[in-house]
Amino acid sequence: MDINAVLNQIDTYFSQSRLEDAERYMLQQFEASDREGDREAHAVIANELIGYYRSAKRHAESVRLTEETLAFVKANGLEGTITHATTYLNGGTAYRFAGDPEKALSYFVSCEQIYKSRLSPTDYHYAGLYNNMGAEVVNKPLEALTGIRVEVLQTLGCLYFQSVDGIIGIVGHISRDECLCTLAERDTI
C-alpha cells in the first residue's frame, strides 16, 4: 500500500471539508491494509482515524480505537517504533479530550520514552508532544495537578519556563534554578 498516497488523499478530503468522504476513505483503506497484510499502514491509518474521531467529538470511538491500535502494535512487532509513539501521542490527546487527564499524561510519557530512544533531542516530534502535554496542565489549578508525577510537571514546567517565562507559577513548586538545573542535565540549554 502506498501510504503516502493514502495520506495525501485524506488531506485532500479534509482540505475540501469533505469529512464524510474522508472517514469513508480511511475506513476503506484501513480494511485494505488488513487485506494486504500491511501492518504499518494499518497502524498509520488507525492513527488518522483516532485523530478524526477526536476532532469530531466522537470520544468513545477515539479511545476505543486507541486501545485497539496499541494492542495491534504490540501484537505485530511494532513496539518501540515512531508509529507506536504516534499512537501514544494520539491516544493521549484522545483521552485528554475524553476527560481522562491521568491516562492522557501516562500516554504522553510513554510517547516521550519512545522518542528518547529513537530520536535526536532536537527532533521536531518533541514539539507536538510537549504542546499536547502542556495543554493538559496549563490553566489548571494546582490542586488539579495532584497525583501527576513530579518529573512530568518538571519537564513541562521547564519547557514552559524556557519558552514563556512565568508559566512555572501554575506548576508552583518548581523554582527557576531547578528548571535550569534540569535543563542542563538534559543538555537542552
Side-chain angles (χ1 to χ4, degrees), residues 14 66 82 114 135 166 168 173 186:
F14 284 136
T66 293
I82 296 303
I114 295 171
I168 288 304
H173 65 280
R186 296 176 67 184

Side-chain angles (χ1 to χ4, degrees), residues 61-152:
E61 290 171 272
S62 186
V63 165
R64 175 193 51 78
L65 189 54
T66 293
E67 296 306 321
E68 289 175 7
T69 304
L70 285 170
F72 177 88
V73 163
K74 291 173 185 173
N76 285 279
L78 297 172
E79 282 185 290
T81 64
I82 296 303
T83 299
H84 188 199
T86 300
T87 305
Y88 276 127
L89 176 60
N90 288 336
T93 305
Y95 276 103
R96 180 166 70 89
F97 281 90
D100 190 341
E102 276 300 312
K103 188 77 159 186
L105 284 170
S106 74
Y107 278 15
F108 293 148
V109 169
S110 294
C111 175
E112 181 184 42
Q113 290 170 343
I114 295 171
Y115 282 179
K116 285 179 178 180
S117 72
R118 293 288 202 165
L119 302 173
S120 158
T122 59
D123 191 281
Y124 75 93
H125 284 85
Y126 285 101
L129 169 63
Y130 291 138
N131 180 54
N132 280 289
M133 288 175 89
E136 187 51 48
V137 299
V138 149
N139 298 323
K140 291 196 185 304
L142 189 56
E143 57 272 9
L145 303 178
T146 302
I148 297 172
R149 291 187 9 233
V150 171
E151 349 24 303
V152 172

